[in-house]
Structure formats: structure tokens, C-alpha cells
Amino acid sequence: MELVKNSSVPGDRTSLRDVQSSPVSEKLLITTQPQKDGNAKKQLTKREKLLVGFIAFLLFMFVLLAVVFGFLHAQQARQAHPNSQIKEQRYQYPCVTKECVLTSTDLLNYLDPGIDPCEDFYEYACGGWIKKNPLPNQKEEWNQFTKLEEKVISSSARSYKQKRRKLSILSLRHFRKG
């Protein structure tokens, strides 16, 4: 049994009715309906093609505008800062000042290259400093900060003694003249 719609011509019935199916009608029904094939490609409608084309055009315009604005921004930055450090860093090494070279030398000396960093990273990173700066007898802790503190204290003490000596010499000169 199959459902067949009658013609909508006046005088004809316009309802769906049951019809006894015959081999001829089934063959006719099969050949007139579109076949559903998994390999067949779906055809895009004209509206869908226009929409895809419009989206591709908008994407292309967006990329083009981004490139143009990027070049304009870079040109404006170069004109605003013609002698900027960014331009100079292209042609110079990053660490050539005396302080930078000394600091990097210190950092390399603090490493212990004989230790595998995967096994004991602390010993690898700080082993050289620990070997070169043993813990003083009277100190409970010894690190870069305490070492720097000692250096500042001894330097300021020397500076204080020198100033005191100069003041005493100046006061003695005034005393002799007076």
C-alpha cells in the first residue's frame, strides 16, 4: 500500500488515499524519487554560494586590513622613535656593558658543572658559590645578602674612619693656627 495524492484540479479529489501497489507503480515511484547515495555531493543553492563567497570576501578584506594597519603602525613607531633601543638591539649584542659581563661571569661561576642538573638542581645551580664561599665560623647563615651586608658594613666603617681622621686633622690644623 502506498499513499498517492490526487490532482488538485477542480472536480478531482484532493485527498490522500490508499492505493493497492502494483509492481509498475512501485517501479515508477522508485525511479521518480531522488536516490539517497552516500557518495553523492550536495549541490549548493545559489543563495548558499553567494553567502560562502561573501564570507570569503569579508575574511580576505579583514586579513588585508590587518596587514595594512600593521605596516602603518610599524612605520609610525619608527618615525616617532628613530633612535630607539629596539632598532639598536638588532645590531648590538645584548650584554656588552662592564656590569653585565661581570654579573654573567659571577652567575656562571656559581654553577657547578660537575653535577647533573636533572639529579640535583640546587647543587648544580649553587654548588660553585657554596664551594667558593664557605660558611664563616661566627655566622649561622651565609648567602649573597649577608655577604653584601658585610661588605657594606665594612665599607661604611672604613669610610667613617677616614672621615673621622680627616676631621681630626682639620681640627688640629685650626687649633695650631688659632
Side-chain angles (χ1 to χ4, degrees):
M1 301 267 290
E2 70 181 70
L3 296 176
V4 177
K5 182 174 180 181
N6 289 334
S7 170
S8 62
V9 177
D12 288 342
R13 293 184 296 182
T14 58
S15 64
L16 295 175
R17 62 182 172 91
D18 290 340
V19 176
Q20 185 72 27
S21 55
S22 66
V24 174
S25 64
E26 285 181 14
K27 187 174 184 182
L28 181 64
L29 183 65
I30 292 173
T31 57
T32 57
Q33 289 184 351
Q35 294 181 0
K36 294 182 181 177
D37 187 13
N39 296 333
K41 292 183 181 179
K42 180 184 174 193
Q43 293 289 328
L44 296 178
T45 65
K46 188 174 184 179
R47 182 177 286 172
E48 289 172 334
K49 289 178 184 178
L50 284 173
L51 185 62
V52 168
F54 183 70
I55 290 173
F57 174 74
L58 286 178
L59 184 64
F60 174 74
M61 291 303 291
F62 178 75
V63 170
L64 183 67
L65 285 174
V67 169
V68 168
F69 282 124
F71 282 125
L72 289 176
H73 179 70
Q75 185 179 15
Q76 216 174 24
R78 275 189 239 117
Q79 288 175 354
H81 306 288
N83 295 328
S84 70
Q85 292 178 347
I86 296 170
K87 188 177 180 182
E88 292 173 11
Q89 284 182 352
R90 292 182 196 159
Y91 306 108
Q92 291 184 350
Y93 294 104
C95 183
V96 293
T97 64
K98 179 181 176 182
E99 294 82 14
C100 186
V101 170
L102 290 175
T103 302
S104 62
T105 303
D106 284 343
L107 289 174
L108 289 174
N109 285 332
Y110 297 158
L111 296 177
D112 187 359
I115 304 293
D116 182 17
C118 295
E119 296 296 323
D120 187 3
F121 187 77
Y122 178 79
E123 189 66 32
Y124 169 75
C126 303
W129 193 86
I130 293 170
K131 289 176 185 174
K132 293 175 184 169
N133 299 290
L135 184 67
N137 292 334
Q138 70 272 17
K139 296 286 185 180
E140 292 181 12
E141 78 174 320
W142 190 245
N143 57 34
Q144 283 284 60
F145 297 114
T146 55
K147 185 178 178 181
L148 184 61
E149 182 182 357
E150 289 287 323
K151 192 175 184 180
V152 167
I153 289 172
S154 66
S155 174
S156 61
R158 274 184 272 146
S159 174
Y160 176 73
K161 287 179 184 178
Q162 288 175 353
K163 285 183 181 180
R164 191 169 176 195
R165 182 182 285 155
K166 285 181 183 179
L167 285 175
S168 65
I169 291 173
L170 286 175
S171 66
L172 286 176
R173 286 186 185 166
H174 286 294
F175 181 71
R176 288 184 188 173
K177 288 183 183 179

PDB file of all heavy atoms in Angstrom, residues 90-104:
ATOM      1  N   ARG A  90      69.071  45.281  17.269  1.00  0.00           N
ATOM      2  CA  ARG A  90      69.235  44.401  16.120  1.00  0.00           C
ATOM      3  C   ARG A  90      70.702  44.265  15.736  1.00  0.00           C
ATOM      4  O   ARG A  90      71.106  43.255  15.227  1.00  0.00           O
ATOM      5  CB  ARG A  90      68.461  44.953  14.927  1.00  0.00           C
ATOM      6  CG  ARG A  90      66.977  44.916  15.086  1.00  0.00           C
ATOM      7  CD  ARG A  90      66.322  45.428  13.840  1.00  0.00           C
ATOM      8  NE  ARG A  90      64.940  45.746  14.099  1.00  0.00           N
ATOM      9  CZ  ARG A  90      64.227  46.557  13.377  1.00  0.00           C
ATOM     10  NH1 ARG A  90      64.750  47.164  12.337  1.00  0.00           N
ATOM     11  NH2 ARG A  90      62.973  46.789  13.676  1.00  0.00           N
ATOM     12  N   TYR A  91      71.496  45.292  16.008  1.00  0.00           N
ATOM     13  CA  TYR A  91      72.869  45.326  15.539  1.00  0.00           C
ATOM     14  C   TYR A  91      73.884  45.167  16.658  1.00  0.00           C
ATOM     15  O   TYR A  91      75.056  45.079  16.394  1.00  0.00           O
ATOM     16  CB  TYR A  91      73.125  46.646  14.799  1.00  0.00           C
ATOM     17  CG  TYR A  91      72.119  46.880  13.699  1.00  0.00           C
ATOM     18  CD1 TYR A  91      71.141  47.843  13.818  1.00  0.00           C
ATOM     19  CD2 TYR A  91      72.139  46.102  12.546  1.00  0.00           C
ATOM     20  CE1 TYR A  91      70.214  48.048  12.808  1.00  0.00           C
ATOM     21  CE2 TYR A  91      71.220  46.292  11.542  1.00  0.00           C
ATOM     22  CZ  TYR A  91      70.264  47.276  11.675  1.00  0.00           C
ATOM     23  OH  TYR A  91      69.350  47.468  10.680  1.00  0.00           O
ATOM     24  N   GLN A  92      73.456  45.160  17.916  1.00  0.00           N
ATOM     25  CA  GLN A  92      74.375  45.046  19.031  1.00  0.00           C
ATOM     26  C   GLN A  92      74.104  43.766  19.805  1.00  0.00           C
ATOM     27  O   GLN A  92      73.008  43.238  19.802  1.00  0.00           O
ATOM     28  CB  GLN A  92      74.211  46.236  19.974  1.00  0.00           C
ATOM     29  CG  GLN A  92      74.683  47.538  19.377  1.00  0.00           C
ATOM     30  CD  GLN A  92      74.574  48.660  20.394  1.00  0.00           C
ATOM     31  OE1 GLN A  92      73.987  48.482  21.448  1.00  0.00           O
ATOM     32  NE2 GLN A  92      75.141  49.791  20.076  1.00  0.00           N
ATOM     33  N   TYR A  93      75.137  43.324  20.501  1.00  0.00           N
ATOM     34  CA  TYR A  93      74.968  42.193  21.391  1.00  0.00           C
ATOM     35  C   TYR A  93      74.207  42.653  22.625  1.00  0.00           C
ATOM     36  O   TYR A  93      74.360  43.790  23.058  1.00  0.00           O
ATOM     37  CB  TYR A  93      76.319  41.609  21.785  1.00  0.00           C
ATOM     38  CG  TYR A  93      77.046  40.987  20.624  1.00  0.00           C
ATOM     39  CD1 TYR A  93      78.111  41.631  20.015  1.00  0.00           C
ATOM     40  CD2 TYR A  93      76.632  39.766  20.124  1.00  0.00           C
ATOM     41  CE1 TYR A  93      78.766  41.058  18.939  1.00  0.00           C
ATOM     42  CE2 TYR A  93      77.276  39.185  19.056  1.00  0.00           C
ATOM     43  CZ  TYR A  93      78.347  39.838  18.467  1.00  0.00           C
ATOM     44  OH  TYR A  93      78.975  39.268  17.401  1.00  0.00           O
ATOM     45  N   PRO A  94      73.408  41.806  23.237  1.00  0.00           N
ATOM     46  CA  PRO A  94      72.571  42.255  24.351  1.00  0.00           C
ATOM     47  C   PRO A  94      73.342  42.545  25.636  1.00  0.00           C
ATOM     48  O   PRO A  94      72.887  43.300  26.447  1.00  0.00           O
ATOM     49  CB  PRO A  94      71.603  41.094  24.559  1.00  0.00           C
ATOM     50  CG  PRO A  94      72.271  39.928  23.960  1.00  0.00           C
ATOM     51  CD  PRO A  94      73.140  40.443  22.856  1.00  0.00           C
ATOM     52  N   CYS A  95      74.512  41.975  25.809  1.00  0.00           N
ATOM     53  CA  CYS A  95      75.221  42.130  27.080  1.00  0.00           C
ATOM     54  C   CYS A  95      76.677  42.482  26.816  1.00  0.00           C
ATOM     55  O   CYS A  95      77.534  41.598  26.728  1.00  0.00           O
ATOM     56  CB  CYS A  95      75.118  40.839  27.880  1.00  0.00           C
ATOM     57  SG  CYS A  95      75.870  40.951  29.499  1.00  0.00           S
ATOM     58  N   VAL A  96      76.963  43.780  26.681  1.00  0.00           N
ATOM     59  CA  VAL A  96      78.342  44.177  26.433  1.00  0.00           C
ATOM     60  C   VAL A  96      78.850  45.202  27.433  1.00  0.00           C
ATOM     61  O   VAL A  96      80.021  45.576  27.385  1.00  0.00           O
ATOM     62  CB  VAL A  96      78.513  44.736  24.995  1.00  0.00           C
ATOM     63  CG1 VAL A  96      78.312  43.650  23.972  1.00  0.00           C
ATOM     64  CG2 VAL A  96      77.588  45.894  24.741  1.00  0.00           C
ATOM     65  N   THR A  97      78.002  45.648  28.354  1.00  0.00           N
ATOM     66  CA  THR A  97      78.473  46.602  29.362  1.00  0.00           C
ATOM     67  C   THR A  97      79.320  45.867  30.396  1.00  0.00           C
ATOM     68  O   THR A  97      79.221  44.642  30.562  1.00  0.00           O
ATOM     69  CB  THR A  97      77.289  47.294  30.055  1.00  0.00           C
ATOM     70  OG1 THR A  97      76.529  46.310  30.762  1.00  0.00           O
ATOM     71  CG2 THR A  97      76.408  48.035  29.059  1.00  0.00           C
ATOM     72  N   LYS A  98      80.130  46.608  31.091  1.00  0.00           N
ATOM     73  CA  LYS A  98      81.028  46.030  32.088  1.00  0.00           C
ATOM     74  C   LYS A  98      80.231  45.314  33.192  1.00  0.00           C
ATOM     75  O   LYS A  98      80.561  44.185  33.561  1.00  0.00           O
ATOM     76  CB  LYS A  98      81.879  47.138  32.698  1.00  0.00           C
ATOM     77  CG  LYS A  98      82.838  46.678  33.757  1.00  0.00           C
ATOM     78  CD  LYS A  98      83.627  47.839  34.327  1.00  0.00           C
ATOM     79  CE  LYS A  98      84.516  47.395  35.461  1.00  0.00           C
ATOM     80  NZ  LYS A  98      85.253  48.519  36.041  1.00  0.00           N
ATOM     81  N   GLU A  99      79.178  45.950  33.684  1.00  0.00           N
ATOM     82  CA  GLU A  99      78.376  45.371  34.764  1.00  0.00           C
ATOM     83  C   GLU A  99      77.687  44.081  34.317  1.00  0.00           C
ATOM     84  O   GLU A  99      77.628  43.107  35.060  1.00  0.00           O
ATOM     85  CB  GLU A  99      77.320  46.379  35.245  1.00  0.00           C
ATOM     86  CG  GLU A  99      77.892  47.606  35.915  1.00  0.00           C
ATOM     87  CD  GLU A  99      78.370  48.675  34.926  1.00  0.00           C
ATOM     88  OE1 GLU A  99      78.026  48.580  33.716  1.00  0.00           O
ATOM     89  OE2 GLU A  99      79.088  49.575  35.345  1.00  0.00           O
ATOM     90  N   CYS A 100      77.205  44.083  33.100  1.00  0.00           N
ATOM     91  CA  CYS A 100      76.501  42.906  32.593  1.00  0.00           C
ATOM     92  C   CYS A 100      77.469  41.724  32.419  1.00  0.00           C
ATOM     93  O   CYS A 100      77.140  40.594  32.776  1.00  0.00           O
ATOM     94  CB  CYS A 100      75.826  43.237  31.271  1.00  0.00           C
ATOM     95  SG  CYS A 100      74.792  41.923  30.639  1.00  0.00           S
ATOM     96  N   VAL A 101      78.636  41.995  31.907  1.00  0.00           N
ATOM     97  CA  VAL A 101      79.626  40.931  31.717  1.00  0.00           C
ATOM     98  C   VAL A 101      80.080  40.388  33.065  1.00  0.00           C
ATOM     99  O   VAL A 101      80.195  39.173  33.246  1.00  0.00           O
ATOM    100  CB  VAL A 101      80.815  41.450  30.876  1.00  0.00           C
ATOM    101  CG1 VAL A 101      81.950  40.452  30.865  1.00  0.00           C
ATOM    102  CG2 VAL A 101      80.365  41.762  29.461  1.00  0.00           C
ATOM    103  N   LEU A 102      80.307  41.274  34.036  1.00  0.00           N
ATOM    104  CA  LEU A 102      80.727  40.818  35.363  1.00  0.00           C
ATOM    105  C   LEU A 102      79.630  39.995  36.042  1.00  0.00           C
ATOM    106  O   LEU A 102      79.907  38.971  36.672  1.00  0.00           O
ATOM    107  CB  LEU A 102      81.116  42.008  36.240  1.00  0.00           C
ATOM    108  CG  LEU A 102      82.405  42.721  35.834  1.00  0.00           C
ATOM    109  CD1 LEU A 102      82.629  43.961  36.697  1.00  0.00           C
ATOM    110  CD2 LEU A 102      83.587  41.786  35.943  1.00  0.00           C
ATOM    111  N   THR A 103      78.390  40.426  35.909  1.00  0.00           N
ATOM    112  CA  THR A 103      77.281  39.691  36.517  1.00  0.00           C
ATOM    113  C   THR A 103      77.125  38.316  35.882  1.00  0.00           C
ATOM    114  O   THR A 103      76.936  37.311  36.581  1.00  0.00           O
ATOM    115  CB  THR A 103      75.970  40.486  36.379  1.00  0.00           C
ATOM    116  OG1 THR A 103      76.145  41.758  36.994  1.00  0.00           O
ATOM    117  CG2 THR A 103      74.810  39.761  37.027  1.00  0.00           C
ATOM    118  N   SER A 104      77.205  38.256  34.567  1.00  0.00           N
ATOM    119  CA  SER A 104      77.076  36.952  33.908  1.00  0.00           C
ATOM    120  C   SER A 104      78.250  36.044  34.268  1.00  0.00           C
ATOM    121  O   SER A 104      78.079  34.835  34.423  1.00  0.00           O
ATOM    122  CB  SER A 104      76.956  37.115  32.397  1.00  0.00           C
ATOM    123  OG  SER A 104      78.105  37.722  31.866  1.00  0.00           O
TER     124      SER A 104
END
